[in-house]
Amino acid sequence: MNKAPKEAFRRKHPGRSKRSTPHKGKGRQVETKALNTIKNLLNDKPRRRDLLIEYLHLIQDTYGHLSYPNLTALAHEMKLSMAEVFEVATFYAHFDVVKEGETPPPAITIRVCDSLTCELMGAKTLTDKLRATYGKSIRVIPAPCMGRCETAPVAEVGHRHVINANPNVIESVIQSGEFSPEIPNYKNLDNYTNEGGYKLLKDCLNGNYSPEDIITKLENSGLRGLGGAGFPTGRKWRFVSSEPSPRLMAINADEGEPGTIKDRIYLESDPHRTLEGMLIGAWAIQATDVYFYLRDEYPHIRHILNTELQKLDKLELKNLPRIHLRRGAGAYICGEESAMLESIEGKRGEPRHKPPFPSQVGLFGRPTLINNVETLYWVRDICEKGPDWFTEKGLNGRSGLRSFSVSGRVNKPGMKLAPAGITVNELINEYCGGMANGHNFKAYLPGGASGGILPASLGNIPLDFGTLEEHGCFIGSAAVIILSDKDDLKAAAINLTRFFEDESCGQCTPCRIGTEKACNIMTSGTWDIKLLEELSNAMTDASICGLGQAAPNPIKCVIKYFPEELA
């Protein structure tokens, strides 16, 4: 090796000596106290990169925040660069990274949902009152949809949700000092098996059915992915099963689309029905491991799943895959399947370029089957009752059942199990008790924040995949938000666009800059229609993933259907 360049450098810089470790005072040094803290906290847990987010949660749950010394020690202990740990810790909204010299957050944090439905029901006024009441003694911050839109406005004190929230109820929770999640009554393993649960899985494992039998049933049923994309479920299972092993499975329970509550309701009431569908899917594709990715806004469901998954050993089933329950950290983008995979791997939740698709190169580079909670919920019924049982349920020329999450200006909001192809007028009148008193139907969101906004005059369109696209909308996860003549459509579009601005992962310029510019234009007074249309087209055409591509939908719809709102 030629040492001359190094020797010349030392002669030019005599104060610098050869060293194999960072010079003291350069870079961020690991503090002995913090290192001992992290070692004790992790104990004998494996130091794998894919567990980074789990360990960040562990630190935050223990100390209430993430300090720089603890993050530095975690990086050292996991043999990761500080940049790798810091970039992940600062990406997710639920991690409080406290810089040196900064004051840690107060012991109590109140998060007030600022999604569209909660804003309609007075969330902003509630936030202002709480801040005026508690000052700096309690942190009060806005938060995106908490998946409880039927009981808006919603707040979260610590990890305890407060439905139909008002200052008095929140104060009573604070005085009680009980900030853990409330665990609802649900169908546990014994209840589920007493009703025939897991018989289908046992039949599969015992050879009474082949993977081909199950996949064919799903194909014939027409069941589609019910997280929003709508890809045919049986076809997806077939694609993944044809890829070389080893294969993996991932469950997308990151239900973050504003207005969506269905997955929460299924998991908190009948969790094993989804778990059985999951295990049948894993058997069908011969997955070695299953990763269940649950949004952090559902701590009560995390408790339920942790409890019930431990009971599966009682079934004495052989050759079950290893099940890993993974915790999100407050990032809507992780509902996008490839961003979810990145998060499971312990990284920032940034969408991947496609192709290759996850069915080919997914989690840890392996072929991966990804399914939504509701999709798996229907597997048992379809296989036991037959595909025709499912297909014959539709209306208006459509087939199947859909779980509509209905919120807004109706008398009885909630999750409504109804035939696919039902119209919003039928949904309001037959399932939701009509419009709320004093409100007249004016507009609706058929698919949450990203699904666009339609006027009441288009209230007889069948709600299903492929029926709304010609009107500039889509059904997505079937989160239907009802607006009335008392609501400001311009303000609604601003709320939705601000949500996308906050939730953009920042990876691609069209989405990162486009959502910010759109918000600035929309809140500056009179809308510059031509500029907003150009900006919307650029975002739709050039964004990497569905977030940026769908973010302009509310803007386009208000311009197209409600021009009088912009006058």
Side-chain angles (χ1 to χ4, degrees):
M1 180 183 295
N2 184 2
K3 298 182 179 179
K6 292 183 179 180
E7 292 171 354
F9 178 85
R10 293 192 192 104
R11 287 195 299 271
K12 188 175 181 180
H13 304 279
R16 302 188 186 181
S17 59
K18 181 180 179 181
R19 58 182 181 271
S20 58
T21 56
H23 188 276
K24 291 183 178 179
K26 297 290 183 179
R28 188 171 299 280
Q29 302 303 302
V30 181
E31 296 181 7
T32 302
K33 180 180 178 181
L35 185 58
N36 290 334
T37 294
I38 297 303
K39 284 183 176 181
N40 291 333
L41 199 59
L42 299 187
N43 199 4
D44 58 354
K45 294 180 174 63
R47 271 57 166 171
R48 298 199 318 264
R49 168 62 192 262
D50 63 289
L51 293 171
L52 174 58
I53 293 174
E54 295 296 310
Y55 295 160
L56 291 172
H57 276 303
L58 180 60
I59 297 170
Q60 171 130 334
D61 289 346
T62 303
Y63 299 104
H65 64 280
L66 302 174
S67 69
Y68 269 39
N70 281 346
L71 288 176
T72 304
L74 180 64
H76 181 274
E77 186 65 13
M78 296 188 71
K79 294 180 172 56
L80 296 172
S81 71
M82 289 184 289
E84 289 176 293
V85 173
F86 276 75
E87 72 173 2
V88 172
T90 54
F91 179 85
Y92 296 92
H94 289 185
F95 291 141
D96 293 313
V97 178
V98 178
K99 299 178 182 178
E100 291 175 317
E102 289 185 343
T103 302
I108 301 174
T109 292
I110 301 174
R111 290 181 167 85
V112 181
C113 178
D114 66 354
S115 70
L116 179 58
T117 302
C118 282
E119 184 172 282
L120 294 177
M121 302 302 172
K124 189 176 185 307
T125 300
L126 175 62
T127 301
D128 292 341
K129 287 182 178 179
L130 294 174
R131 283 175 170 168
T133 299
Y134 297 114
K136 295 183 178 180
S137 62
I138 292 177
R139 183 173 60 162
V140 180
I141 57 176
C145 186
M146 297 179 183
R148 296 178 180 270
C149 313
E150 79 277 28
T151 54
V154 179
E156 187 182 29
V157 184
H159 291 299
R160 177 168 289 249
H161 286 95
V162 181
I163 60 176
N164 303 124
N166 62 57
N168 292 334
V169 176
I170 289 174
E171 174 61 21
S172 67
V173 172
I174 292 173
Q175 291 300 320
S176 73
E178 182 52 72
F179 306 136
S180 299
E182 293 185 84
I183 310 302
N185 292 324
Y186 64 91
K187 191 178 294 184
N188 62 25
L189 179 62
D190 290 338
N191 302 144
Y192 184 71
T193 53
N194 288 340
E195 297 177 359
Y198 288 109
K199 181 181 183 302
L200 177 61
L201 174 62
K202 291 177 181 178
D203 285 342
C204 291
L205 295 174
N206 292 333
N208 296 335
Y209 293 107
S210 69
E212 178 64 25
D213 294 333
I214 299 298
I215 291 174
T216 300
K217 285 176 182 286
L218 295 179
E219 288 177 330
N220 292 339
S221 73
L223 178 66
R224 301 175 69 166
L226 299 175
F231 192 85
T233 302
R235 191 187 307 172
K236 181 185 286 190
W237 286 27
R238 189 176 296 282
F239 283 166
V240 178
S241 63
S242 67
E243 293 292 327
S245 59
R247 293 178 284 270
L248 302 175
M249 186 176 187
I251 313 307
N252 191 339
D254 194 60
E255 182 178 55
E257 184 71 35
T260 313
I261 62 175
K262 62 185 181 63
D263 291 351
R264 184 204 94 221
I265 290 174
Y266 284 130
L267 288 174
E268 71 183 13
S269 61
D270 192 4
H272 284 282
R273 190 171 294 269
T274 293
L275 293 179
E276 183 172 10
M278 173 190 80
L279 292 171
I280 291 170
W283 162 80
I285 68 160
Q286 297 182 343
T288 60
D289 294 79
V290 177
Y291 290 80
F292 198 112
Y293 188 85
L294 178 68
R295 70 184 310 222
D296 199 34
E297 287 82 355
Y298 293 164
H300 65 301
I301 295 176
R302 188 168 67 253
H303 173 89
I304 291 171
L305 291 177
N306 273 321
T307 300
E308 296 304 310
L309 286 172
Q310 292 178 18
K311 296 178 181 179
L312 290 181
D313 288 342
K314 292 171 59 177
L315 299 176
E316 297 182 347
L317 301 175
K318 296 180 180 180
N319 301 319
L320 289 184
R322 292 179 292 270
I323 303 172
H324 312 266
L325 181 59
R326 291 299 175 84
R327 180 178 172 185
Y332 166 76
I333 189 62
C334 289
E336 196 278 335
E337 61 178 10
S338 65
M340 177 189 70
L341 299 182
E342 290 287 294
S343 189
I344 292 174
E345 292 180 3
K347 304 171 186 174
R348 294 162 63 92
E350 295 179 343
R352 300 173 180 176
H353 291 275
K354 301 174 186 177
F357 295 95
S359 60
Q360 302 164 306
V361 182
L363 192 58
F364 308 118
R366 298 177 180 178
T368 303
L369 174 63
I370 302 174
N371 280 137
N372 168 260
V373 167
E374 187 194 355
T375 306
L376 296 172
Y377 181 89
W378 292 116
V379 168
R380 176 186 164 192
D381 280 332
I382 289 171
C383 292
E384 289 183 343
K385 300 176 182 178
D388 291 345
W389 168 84
F390 191 74
T391 58
E392 67 188 12
K393 302 294 183 183
L395 290 175
N396 300 313
R398 316 304 294 182
S399 65
L401 289 167
R402 290 303 300 267
S403 303
F404 293 93
S405 304
V406 187
S407 63
R409 307 299 190 177
V410 292
N411 274 321
K412 298 178 181 178
M415 195 272 283
K416 311 297 179 180
L417 182 59
I422 193 172
T423 68
V424 73
N425 282 327
E426 293 169 329
L427 198 59
I428 293 171
N429 294 321
E430 298 175 21
Y431 287 80
C432 300
M435 293 294 292
N437 293 337
H439 291 269
N440 296 311
F441 183 32
K442 178 179 181 180
Y444 67 106
L445 284 70
S450 58
I453 307 174
L454 291 173
S457 60
L458 294 177
N460 289 318
I461 302 171
L463 297 177
D464 198 13
F465 295 111
T467 62
L468 299 161
E469 282 75 2
E470 65 179 292
H471 304 285
C473 297
F474 57 81
I475 192 170
S477 61
V480 181
I481 303 175
I482 307 299
L483 305 177
S484 79
D485 56 344
K486 301 291 194 299
D487 298 318
D488 182 344
L489 271 294
K490 184 177 178 180
I494 291 172
N495 173 283
L496 299 171
T497 306
R498 186 176 291 117
F499 166 79
F500 289 119
E501 179 191 12
D502 291 341
E503 295 297 334
S504 172
C505 75
Q507 181 181 188
C508 70
T509 302
C511 178
R512 182 183 68 251
I513 301 299
T515 52
E516 178 186 0
K517 293 294 184 184
C519 280
N520 290 339
I521 295 169
M522 297 165 74
T523 55
S524 62
T526 304
W527 286 14
D528 186 330
I529 304 300
K530 183 178 180 180
L531 184 56
L532 279 172
E533 289 177 335
E534 291 178 357
L535 190 60
S536 295
N537 290 335
M539 292 168 63
T540 300
D541 293 341
S543 295
I544 290 174
C545 79
L547 189 155
Q549 295 163 9
N553 285 344
I555 303 171
K556 293 178 179 178
C557 287
V558 169
I559 292 173
K560 179 179 180 179
Y561 296 115
F562 307 97
E564 70 280 1
E565 297 278 336
L566 307 178

Tab-separated table of all heavy atoms in Angstrom, residues 97-127:
chain	number	residue	atom	x	y	z
A	97	VAL	N	-38.806	12.860	19.704
A	97	VAL	CA	-37.354	12.971	19.785
A	97	VAL	C	-37.009	14.301	20.437
A	97	VAL	O	-37.404	15.362	19.950
A	97	VAL	CB	-36.720	12.877	18.386
A	97	VAL	CG1	-35.209	13.043	18.485
A	97	VAL	CG2	-37.063	11.536	17.740
A	98	VAL	N	-36.296	14.228	21.541
A	98	VAL	CA	-35.942	15.427	22.309
A	98	VAL	C	-34.462	15.707	22.137
A	98	VAL	O	-33.610	14.904	22.522
A	98	VAL	CB	-36.288	15.245	23.803
A	98	VAL	CG1	-35.861	16.477	24.594
A	98	VAL	CG2	-37.784	15.013	23.964
A	99	LYS	N	-34.155	16.854	21.547
A	99	LYS	CA	-32.768	17.237	21.337
A	99	LYS	C	-32.135	17.677	22.655
A	99	LYS	O	-32.831	18.004	23.627
A	99	LYS	CB	-32.690	18.371	20.319
A	99	LYS	CG	-33.228	18.019	18.951
A	99	LYS	CD	-33.155	19.217	18.019
A	99	LYS	CE	-33.739	18.890	16.649
A	99	LYS	NZ	-33.704	20.077	15.752
A	100	GLU	N	-30.829	17.702	22.665
A	100	GLU	CA	-30.112	18.165	23.853
A	100	GLU	C	-30.466	19.618	24.120
A	100	GLU	O	-30.457	20.465	23.219
A	100	GLU	CB	-28.604	18.014	23.642
A	100	GLU	CG	-28.172	16.556	23.603
A	100	GLU	CD	-26.699	16.401	23.265
A	100	GLU	OE1	-26.216	17.095	22.369
A	100	GLU	OE2	-26.054	15.568	23.917
A	101	GLY	N	-30.807	19.891	25.355
A	101	GLY	CA	-31.178	21.251	25.729
A	101	GLY	C	-32.670	21.512	25.649
A	101	GLY	O	-33.155	22.507	26.191
A	102	GLU	N	-33.405	20.630	24.962
A	102	GLU	CA	-34.848	20.780	24.875
A	102	GLU	C	-35.531	20.161	26.093
A	102	GLU	O	-35.002	19.251	26.732
A	102	GLU	CB	-35.392	20.119	23.610
A	102	GLU	CG	-35.057	20.839	22.325
A	102	GLU	CD	-35.725	20.196	21.117
A	102	GLU	OE1	-36.178	19.034	21.221
A	102	GLU	OE2	-35.770	20.865	20.069
A	103	THR	N	-36.719	20.657	26.397
A	103	THR	CA	-37.496	20.128	27.503
A	103	THR	C	-38.345	18.962	27.018
A	103	THR	O	-39.037	19.081	26.003
A	103	THR	CB	-38.430	21.211	28.074
A	103	THR	OG1	-37.644	22.332	28.490
A	103	THR	CG2	-39.227	20.679	29.257
A	104	PRO	N	-38.283	17.830	27.688
A	104	PRO	CA	-39.125	16.700	27.293
A	104	PRO	C	-40.604	17.078	27.372
A	104	PRO	O	-40.987	17.993	28.109
A	104	PRO	CB	-38.776	15.614	28.310
A	104	PRO	CG	-37.422	15.993	28.818
A	104	PRO	CD	-37.405	17.490	28.816
A	105	PRO	N	-41.456	16.391	26.633
A	105	PRO	CA	-42.893	16.691	26.692
A	105	PRO	C	-43.450	16.405	28.074
A	105	PRO	O	-42.886	15.597	28.825
A	105	PRO	CB	-43.491	15.762	25.639
A	105	PRO	CG	-42.500	14.656	25.495
A	105	PRO	CD	-41.165	15.289	25.710
A	106	PRO	N	-44.559	17.041	28.441
A	106	PRO	CA	-45.181	16.770	29.747
A	106	PRO	C	-45.567	15.303	29.881
A	106	PRO	O	-45.642	14.565	28.889
A	106	PRO	CB	-46.424	17.676	29.732
A	106	PRO	CG	-46.151	18.715	28.707
A	106	PRO	CD	-45.295	18.058	27.670
A	107	ALA	N	-45.843	14.901	31.094
A	107	ALA	CA	-46.178	13.497	31.350
A	107	ALA	C	-47.462	13.073	30.653
A	107	ALA	O	-47.642	11.903	30.314
A	107	ALA	CB	-46.304	13.255	32.852
A	108	ILE	N	-48.361	14.027	30.443
A	108	ILE	CA	-49.650	13.714	29.808
A	108	ILE	C	-49.749	14.442	28.477
A	108	ILE	O	-49.503	15.647	28.383
A	108	ILE	CB	-50.833	14.132	30.704
A	108	ILE	CG1	-50.764	13.412	32.059
A	108	ILE	CG2	-52.161	13.844	30.010
A	108	ILE	CD1	-51.808	13.890	33.052
A	109	THR	N	-50.107	13.698	27.447
A	109	THR	CA	-50.374	14.275	26.133
A	109	THR	C	-51.810	13.960	25.746
A	109	THR	O	-52.263	12.819	25.874
A	109	THR	CB	-49.425	13.709	25.062
A	109	THR	OG1	-48.093	14.161	25.320
A	109	THR	CG2	-49.834	14.178	23.668
A	110	ILE	N	-52.511	14.982	25.292
A	110	ILE	CA	-53.863	14.802	24.752
A	110	ILE	C	-53.783	15.010	23.249
A	110	ILE	O	-53.361	16.066	22.779
A	110	ILE	CB	-54.870	15.795	25.355
A	110	ILE	CG1	-54.932	15.650	26.872
A	110	ILE	CG2	-56.256	15.586	24.737
A	110	ILE	CD1	-55.796	16.711	27.546
A	111	ARG	N	-54.164	13.997	22.491
A	111	ARG	CA	-54.244	14.119	21.035
A	111	ARG	C	-55.713	14.262	20.643
A	111	ARG	O	-56.549	13.458	21.050
A	111	ARG	CB	-53.627	12.892	20.347
A	111	ARG	CG	-52.118	12.819	20.475
A	111	ARG	CD	-51.550	11.588	19.761
A	111	ARG	NE	-50.105	11.680	19.615
A	111	ARG	CZ	-49.226	11.311	20.532
A	111	ARG	NH1	-49.669	10.816	21.677
A	111	ARG	NH2	-47.932	11.446	20.321
A	112	VAL	N	-56.003	15.276	19.865
A	112	VAL	CA	-57.368	15.515	19.402
A	112	VAL	C	-57.405	15.263	17.898
A	112	VAL	O	-56.647	15.886	17.142
A	112	VAL	CB	-57.836	16.946	19.707
A	112	VAL	CG1	-59.272	17.153	19.220
A	112	VAL	CG2	-57.737	17.241	21.195
A	113	CYS	N	-58.251	14.361	17.477
A	113	CYS	CA	-58.342	14.017	16.053
A	113	CYS	C	-58.792	15.242	15.263
A	113	CYS	O	-59.768	15.908	15.634
A	113	CYS	CB	-59.320	12.873	15.860
A	113	CYS	SG	-59.551	12.422	14.126
A	114	ASP	N	-58.072	15.538	14.173
A	114	ASP	CA	-58.455	16.681	13.340
A	114	ASP	C	-58.874	16.244	11.939
A	114	ASP	O	-58.818	17.017	10.990
A	114	ASP	CB	-57.323	17.713	13.270
A	114	ASP	CG	-56.087	17.196	12.538
A	114	ASP	OD1	-56.067	15.995	12.174
A	114	ASP	OD2	-55.151	17.983	12.327
A	115	SER	N	-59.305	14.971	11.797
A	115	SER	CA	-59.797	14.505	10.505
A	115	SER	C	-61.099	15.234	10.175
A	115	SER	O	-61.673	15.937	11.006
A	115	SER	CB	-60.027	12.994	10.527
A	115	SER	OG	-61.139	12.683	11.349
A	116	LEU	N	-61.573	15.036	8.953
A	116	LEU	CA	-62.729	15.799	8.493
A	116	LEU	C	-63.950	15.601	9.380
A	116	LEU	O	-64.598	16.575	9.786
A	116	LEU	CB	-63.057	15.417	7.048
A	116	LEU	CG	-64.275	16.123	6.429
A	116	LEU	CD1	-64.104	17.631	6.467
A	116	LEU	CD2	-64.507	15.644	5.011
A	117	THR	N	-64.285	14.352	9.706
A	117	THR	CA	-65.480	14.112	10.517
A	117	THR	C	-65.358	14.761	11.887
A	117	THR	O	-66.305	15.386	12.382
A	117	THR	CB	-65.734	12.603	10.669
A	117	THR	OG1	-65.868	12.014	9.376
A	117	THR	CG2	-66.984	12.341	11.471
A	118	CYS	N	-64.189	14.632	12.508
A	118	CYS	CA	-64.010	15.248	13.825
A	118	CYS	C	-64.042	16.762	13.737
A	118	CYS	O	-64.568	17.436	14.640
A	118	CYS	CB	-62.706	14.766	14.458
A	118	CYS	SG	-62.813	13.093	15.161
A	119	GLU	N	-63.511	17.314	12.657
A	119	GLU	CA	-63.576	18.765	12.485
A	119	GLU	C	-65.030	19.222	12.333
A	119	GLU	O	-65.431	20.256	12.888
A	119	GLU	CB	-62.765	19.207	11.274
A	119	GLU	CG	-62.703	20.721	11.102
A	119	GLU	CD	-61.751	21.166	10.010
A	119	GLU	OE1	-60.531	21.165	10.247
A	119	GLU	OE2	-62.244	21.511	8.913
A	120	LEU	N	-65.831	18.446	11.611
A	120	LEU	CA	-67.248	18.776	11.472
A	120	LEU	C	-67.941	18.807	12.833
A	120	LEU	O	-68.866	19.591	13.056
A	120	LEU	CB	-67.948	17.748	10.583
A	120	LEU	CG	-67.548	17.665	9.110
A	120	LEU	CD1	-68.303	16.539	8.429
A	120	LEU	CD2	-67.782	18.980	8.393
A	121	MET	N	-67.486	17.941	13.727
A	121	MET	CA	-68.132	17.790	15.033
A	121	MET	C	-67.483	18.636	16.127
A	121	MET	O	-67.748	18.427	17.308
A	121	MET	CB	-68.133	16.318	15.441
A	121	MET	CG	-68.826	15.404	14.445
A	121	MET	SD	-70.542	15.870	14.138
A	121	MET	CE	-70.954	14.773	12.778
A	122	GLY	N	-66.617	19.575	15.732
A	122	GLY	CA	-66.111	20.545	16.703
A	122	GLY	C	-64.749	20.287	17.278
A	122	GLY	O	-64.422	20.798	18.353
A	123	ALA	N	-63.902	19.533	16.590
A	123	ALA	CA	-62.580	19.196	17.132
A	123	ALA	C	-61.698	20.423	17.328
A	123	ALA	O	-60.951	20.495	18.306
A	123	ALA	CB	-61.886	18.193	16.206
A	124	LYS	N	-61.775	21.368	16.406
A	124	LYS	CA	-60.899	22.543	16.528
A	124	LYS	C	-61.257	23.358	17.763
A	124	LYS	O	-60.386	23.802	18.509
A	124	LYS	CB	-61.001	23.415	15.280
A	124	LYS	CG	-59.965	24.537	15.238
A	124	LYS	CD	-60.040	25.315	13.943
A	124	LYS	CE	-58.905	26.349	13.875
A	124	LYS	NZ	-58.845	27.222	15.060
A	125	THR	N	-62.549	23.542	17.997
A	125	THR	CA	-62.983	24.260	19.198
A	125	THR	C	-62.545	23.520	20.455
A	125	THR	O	-62.098	24.135	21.439
A	125	THR	CB	-64.513	24.429	19.194
A	125	THR	OG1	-64.901	25.162	18.033
A	125	THR	CG2	-64.992	25.163	20.433
A	126	LEU	N	-62.656	22.196	20.430
A	126	LEU	CA	-62.228	21.389	21.568
A	126	LEU	C	-60.739	21.565	21.825
A	126	LEU	O	-60.316	21.746	22.984
A	126	LEU	CB	-62.550	19.917	21.302
A	126	LEU	CG	-62.054	18.915	22.346
A	126	LEU	CD1	-62.694	19.173	23.704
A	126	LEU	CD2	-62.339	17.472	21.883
A	127	THR	N	-59.933	21.542	20.781
A	127	THR	CA	-58.482	21.718	20.930
A	127	THR	C	-58.163	23.069	21.554
A	127	THR	O	-57.335	23.171	22.474
A	127	THR	CB	-57.786	21.594	19.563
A	127	THR	OG1	-58.063	20.303	19.017
A	127	THR	CG2	-56.283	21.767	19.696
